[in-house]
Amino acid sequence: MLLKTLLNRVHPVKGFVYDKDALVADPTQPNGVGIEAHLRARKGSAGVCSGCGQRGPTYDTQPERRFDFVPLWGIAVVLVYALRRIDCRQCGVKIETVPWAAPGGKSPMTLAFTVFLARWARRLSWQEVSEVFWVSWEAVYRAVEQVVDYGLEHRDLTGITAIGVDEVACAKGQRYATLVYQLNEGRRRLLHVSEGRSVKSLLRFFQMLKKAGKKSGQDLIGSIHFVCSDMWAAYLKVIAKKLPHALHILDRFHLVANLNKALDQVRAEEARDLARQGWDVLKRSRWLLLRRRKRLTGKQRWKLRQILRWDLKTVRAYILEEGLQAMWEYRSPTYAGRFLDAWCRQAMRSRLEPIKKVARSLREHRESILNWFRAKKLFNCGIVEGLNGRVKLRFRKAFGFRTFRAMEVALYHELGDLPEPQVAHRFC
Ligand SMILES: [Zn+2]
C-alpha cells in the first residue's frame, strides 16, 4: 500500500493508475529480488497513438512489458504494463505511446530511470554507474545519449557573441577532435564536438549553427564578435572565411604552450648531448624549467639557479621564454607590439632553431596576437584555458571510450550545459 502511495507521489502518470505491487524473485538481480509495480489505464481514458499523438479507441492489448525504474533500497523496481493498440483514424492500428517511457520508443527503460542514470554519469564514470546500479555499461551509455540528444534538440543557441576553437588529442595515436566553446561571461559551455581537426571539422560547427539559426529565424553566425583560437592553419582559414568581421584573437594559452614546447625541445636535445659527454647538469630539469618560477619551492629554485649559471642553449631558451611573459602585462596593443617585435628580433638571433620557428610564427600572426590586447578590456580569453583543463580531465576520466560517438556524448553531457527532460521528481 505504502509503495503505491510513494509511486503516486514521486512518479504520477496522468491517465494511468498503479494497480498492484509485489516483491518478486528476480534471478537476474544480484540479490535475487525485485519489485514489480503494475500500471493500468484509468477507466475511460483513451490511449495516445504513437504515430500522430492523437487519442483513439483501443483496438486490443499486447502482452505485458517491463520498464526499468529507479531502484529502491538496493532493490530493482520495474513498472509492468500491457500496451494497448490504438485504432487510429489517421494511422490505422498503432501501439500506444506512454508518458513514462524514455524517448526512442524501444528502450525498456523509464524516462525517470534514464535521467537518473545520466545524472549519476556526470558525477561518476560510466563504469562506476553501471556497477553501482547493476546495469550494463551500454545501458548507461544509452541513457546519457538520450539525455544529450534531448538537450541538443532543445538548447537555446541565441546570444552567442564569443567563441573559442580548440583541438584535443583523443585517446592514443594521432586522433583529434575539434571543440567549439561559447565564451560569454556567464555562459560558458561546449557548443560543438567534431572528429578531426581539418577545415571540414570546423565547418561542421558553422553548418550546425546555420541550421539552428534558420529554425529560430536569427543570424546566429553574424552575432559572433570574438573568436579565440590557436595558430592551426585549418582553423584560421575557416575563421577568416566564416567570421570576417569578428575580432580574431590568438590566445595566450596556446602561444605560451608553443613556446614551452620549443624550450623543451632545446632542453631535451642538449641534455642528450651533455649526457653523452658525461655531464648531467640538465638531468631532471624539465619540470624546473617549464614551471612558473613562482610555483617552485625554495629547494627547486636553488636547483634552477645552479642550472642558470651555465652558458647553455637551454638557459638562453629559458631566458627568452621568460622574457616574453612580460608582454602580457602591457595594456596598450601598440607597446605590446613593439615589445613583441623586439623579442622576435632577439629570438631570431638566438641560433636556437625551435625558438626561431616560434618567432617566425609570432611575426606571421602579429595582428591576431595583438588582438588579445585589443580585446582584453572587453573579453577575457583566460576562459579558454579553464575549459580546456576540464576537457583534459574528462579525457582522463573517460579512459576506455570505445568509439568517438561515446566520447562525443560524454563531452556534451559534461560540458554542454544542456537542458534535461522534465521529470516530476528529483531522484538524485
Ligand atoms: Zn495516429
Side-chain angles (χ1 to χ4, degrees):
M1 267 307 109
L2 177 59
L3 192 63
K4 229 173 51 181
T5 313
L6 280 170
L7 279 167
N8 275 318
R9 176 71 177 259
V10 302
H11 194 250
V13 265
K14 223 176 152 192
F16 300 85
V17 289
Y18 289 101
D19 199 5
K20 52 181 189 218
D21 50 59
L23 188 65
V24 295
D26 185 346
T28 65
Q29 292 300 320
N31 55 6
V33 288
I35 294 169
E36 279 184 0
H38 291 254
L39 279 152
R40 62 172 171 77
R42 202 176 282 281
K43 271 207 181 70
S45 85
V48 174
C49 168
S50 59
C52 62
Q54 297 293 313
R55 290 184 184 278
T58 303
Y59 179 79
D60 63 2
T61 305
Q62 295 218 307
E64 282 183 334
R65 263 185 62 181
R66 301 162 66 83
F67 299 87
D68 291 332
F69 190 67
V70 181
L72 180 66
W73 296 338
I75 302 172
V77 178
V78 179
L79 304 186
V80 183
Y81 176 71
L83 290 164
R84 293 168 287 178
R85 286 206 296 174
I86 308 294
D87 189 8
C88 178
R89 249 180 287 164
Q90 274 189 48
C91 318
V93 176
K94 276 264 175 190
I95 293 180
E96 74 173 315
T97 174
V98 287
W100 62 80
K106 285 173 205 85
S107 164
M109 217 182 259
T110 54
L111 179 63
F113 193 38
T114 301
V115 172
F116 176 85
L117 289 177
R119 279 207 180 137
W120 276 109
R122 214 180 263 135
R123 301 166 183 151
L124 305 174
S125 76
W126 295 1
Q127 189 59 44
E128 286 166 319
V129 175
S130 94
E131 282 160 16
V132 172
F133 298 106
W134 299 335
V135 292
S136 66
W137 187 91
E138 278 73 20
V140 179
Y141 171 27
R142 273 198 307 271
V144 176
E145 190 180 33
Q146 276 178 23
V147 169
V148 164
D149 282 346
Y150 174 93
L152 291 176
E153 184 76 21
H154 291 84
R155 68 180 167 169
D156 177 10
L157 289 173
T158 57
I160 302 169
T161 61
I163 60 166
V165 182
D166 201 1
E167 83 213 31
V168 285
C170 37
K172 286 163 207 135
Q174 296 295 309
R175 289 188 72 199
Y176 288 91
T178 297
L179 309 181
V180 182
Y181 307 101
Q182 177 175 4
L183 301 176
N184 286 83
E185 202 73 46
R187 192 81 212 253
R188 291 160 203 173
R189 58 177 165 166
L190 178 66
L191 292 173
H192 196 251
V193 182
S194 177
E195 202 164 359
R197 52 169 179 170
S198 62
V199 166
K200 263 191 195 151
S201 315
L202 185 52
L203 277 177
R204 279 194 282 266
F205 163 73
F206 288 101
Q207 283 155 7
M208 179 278 291
L209 209 56
K210 196 174 165 188
K211 227 165 111 189
K214 259 189 195 151
K215 232 163 97 187
S216 66
Q218 293 185 49
D219 180 12
L220 297 177
I221 298 175
S223 69
I224 299 172
H225 301 312
F226 298 103
V227 52
C228 273
S229 79
D230 64 1
M231 286 183 269
W232 183 243
Y235 295 164
L236 298 182
K237 200 168 148 191
V238 177
I239 290 167
K241 183 151 183 272
K242 289 289 172 183
L243 300 169
H245 304 299
L247 192 62
H248 182 209
I249 304 156
L250 284 179
D251 71 289
R252 173 182 171 168
F253 175 70
H254 286 104
L255 297 181
V256 171
N258 281 346
L259 193 52
N260 278 340
K261 228 183 270 167
L263 166 62
D264 199 42
Q265 210 180 325
V266 173
R267 180 206 57 83
E269 272 171 32
E270 193 171 36
R272 254 198 313 275
D273 285 350
L274 293 180
R276 237 176 273 136
Q277 298 163 28
W279 194 26
D280 64 354
V281 62
L282 287 177
K283 212 176 163 189
R284 281 194 283 272
S285 65
R286 179 165 197 261
W287 203 73
L288 293 175
L289 292 164
L290 292 183
R291 265 227 149 162
R292 292 273 72 78
R293 216 183 282 209
K294 268 183 277 183
R295 291 200 207 150
L296 297 178
T297 64
K299 198 177 159 199
Q300 288 164 341
R301 254 179 249 180
W302 182 84
K303 270 189 82 178
L304 179 64
R305 271 203 302 276
Q306 299 309 304
I307 297 171
L308 295 180
R309 287 190 329 193
W310 300 99
D311 178 24
L312 294 170
K313 286 181 192 167
T314 305
V315 172
R316 276 190 284 135
Y318 178 80
I319 290 167
L320 278 167
E321 189 265 356
E322 286 273 292
L324 192 65
Q325 295 298 328
M327 179 177 77
W328 305 107
E329 305 302 325
Y330 280 99
R331 277 161 180 268
S332 134
T334 316
Y335 284 104
R338 278 183 206 161
F339 184 94
L340 180 62
D341 296 340
W343 188 89
C344 286
R345 276 196 300 277
Q346 214 184 335
M348 291 308 285
R349 285 197 300 261
S350 69
R351 299 189 308 277
L352 304 167
E353 200 37 55
I355 301 283
K356 281 165 76 176
K357 208 173 134 201
V358 172
R360 263 181 239 120
S361 86
L362 292 181
R363 271 182 179 168
E364 188 186 335
H365 300 293
R366 186 177 187 273
E367 284 316 299
S368 306
I369 293 165
L370 296 181
N371 279 344
W372 189 86
F373 297 92
R374 296 186 184 109
K376 205 173 172 183
K377 280 176 217 140
L378 305 161
F379 170 72
N380 175 11
C381 284
I383 307 163
V384 190
E385 303 173 28
L387 276 167
N388 210 275
R390 272 175 76 193
V391 170
K392 302 259 154 71
L393 191 76
R394 181 64 200 162
F395 274 88
R396 266 202 298 280
K397 213 161 100 184
F399 183 72
F401 280 136
R402 287 155 229 196
T403 59
F404 184 82
R405 173 69 183 150
M407 195 190 65
E408 181 186 7
V409 165
L411 283 171
Y412 277 128
H413 189 49
E414 186 105 342
L415 302 168
D417 193 15
L418 297 171
E420 245 178 29
Q422 288 296 311
V423 283
H425 177 76
R426 208 185 153 92
F427 287 91
C428 63

